[in-house]
Amino acid sequence: MSSTPSESSLVELRRYTLHPGQRDTLIDLFDREFVETQEAVGMRVMGQFRDLDDDQRFVWLRGFADMARRRTGLEAFYGGPVWHAHRDAANATMVDSNDVFLLRPAWPGAGIDNPTSGRLAIGSATPPGLVDASVFPLRAPASDDLLRLCREVLSPVLRQGGARRIGWYVSEARPNDFPRLPVREGEPVLVGLALFDHLTAFEAFARSGARARDAQPALAPWLARPAESHRLVPTARSALHA
């Protein structure tokens, strides 16, 4: 079964650790130079975020139509003039850029990358919204029973709690064929993304005790270790925002 036309069939969840005080420097450079130029070679810049709980972390999502177009897009961008011109400035902000998972939608239509609101222009004010991102390390690749739990239990809880959009992703089993950019292979994960209108809405949901990543008893049979959690706010040019 294929993905819906507006849904990237592959997604990279990229979590960068930056030098102190360098996050805004990277975000300014990224939003100015690395959005349209990646999309011009067939990749989708789905969202860029500040992690509210770690001021040295920058998180972003990049989508692809398939493995072949992922490889050709990465080759074109990282071999092209824009990255060549700005790579030293970008790399100078980073301590580590290899915390990356290659994912696919957990089922057709499970992706979150068909936004109803467009990307803002350079210089715009930061848009509203908060993404609750949970990475669930699994003992084995996600089973049908686990995905049924996501669809039938966790997603309704998130919607009732005010989540505007929800995405579920699982690890892509095929090997990374662009080794210049490493990904964490051999580590099966389930990733849940939930977009809220703003931090206050998310905090109200969190206080209710119903948030998906607090459903550890239900998820326990599948988990290799506790979930990793991020409260993410969009940058000014993130396509994923409220």
Side-chain angles (χ1 to χ4, degrees):
M1 189 178 297
S2 63
S3 297
T4 59
S6 61
E7 180 182 64
S8 296
S9 70
L10 291 167
V11 171
E12 291 174 348
L13 171 62
R14 310 189 64 86
R15 301 183 293 181
Y16 294 175
T17 300
L18 307 179
H19 291 289
Q22 290 299 298
R23 185 164 66 182
D24 285 347
T25 299
L26 178 59
I27 287 171
D28 289 345
L29 177 61
F30 191 107
D31 281 4
R32 186 180 68 248
E33 302 291 348
F34 298 155
V35 176
E36 284 82 3
T37 51
Q38 292 189 76
E39 296 192 333
V41 293
M43 302 184 288
R44 179 179 290 184
V45 180
M46 294 164 51
Q48 309 95 264
F49 308 96
R50 294 174 172 89
D51 189 327
L52 283 183
D53 301 305
D54 185 347
D55 62 10
Q56 292 176 231
R57 189 179 292 276
F58 171 66
V59 180
W60 65 292
L61 298 162
R62 176 164 58 187
F64 309 88
D66 52 44
M67 286 292 286
R69 279 177 280 188
R70 173 179 181 265
R71 186 180 63 254
T72 57
L74 293 175
E75 288 171 348
F77 178 74
Y78 290 102
V82 173
W83 179 246
H84 181 77
H86 299 288
R87 64 187 178 189
D88 290 345
N91 288 333
T93 68
M94 301 176 193
V95 175
D96 175 64
S97 60
N98 294 334
D99 187 357
V100 179
F101 286 110
L102 183 60
L103 309 167
R104 58 180 172 81
W107 57 85
I112 201 170
D113 65 338
N114 50 349
T116 56
S117 51
R119 181 179 288 114
L120 301 179
I122 294 172
S124 299
T126 301
L130 181 135
V131 173
D132 178 30
S134 297
V135 179
F136 301 97
L138 302 178
R139 299 175 186 271
S143 67
D144 291 342
D145 286 343
L146 174 57
L147 300 186
R148 189 176 303 112
L149 176 71
C150 296
R151 286 194 304 270
E152 298 179 4
V153 178
L154 301 183
S155 288
V157 167
L158 286 161
R159 291 191 189 96
Q160 291 165 12
R164 292 182 54 166
R165 289 161 52 204
I166 301 164
W168 292 103
Y169 294 90
V170 294
S171 299
E172 171 54 57
R174 288 172 291 181
N176 175 30
D177 60 358
F178 192 77
R180 180 176 171 183
L181 294 184
V183 302
R184 292 171 63 173
E185 298 182 88
E187 300 181 50
V189 294
L190 168 72
V191 174
L193 304 172
L195 173 65
F196 290 81
D197 283 332
H198 40 67
L199 176 60
T200 302
F202 171 74
E203 288 177 336
F205 174 60
R207 286 194 299 270
S208 74
R211 60 195 299 192
R213 70 168 174 248
D214 288 340
Q216 295 289 343
L219 292 166
W222 293 282
L223 293 184
R225 56 185 183 277
E228 305 166 26
S229 305
H230 303 278
R231 297 184 303 160
L232 306 177
V233 292
T235 72
R237 303 207 64 221
S238 175
L240 184 55
H241 60 83

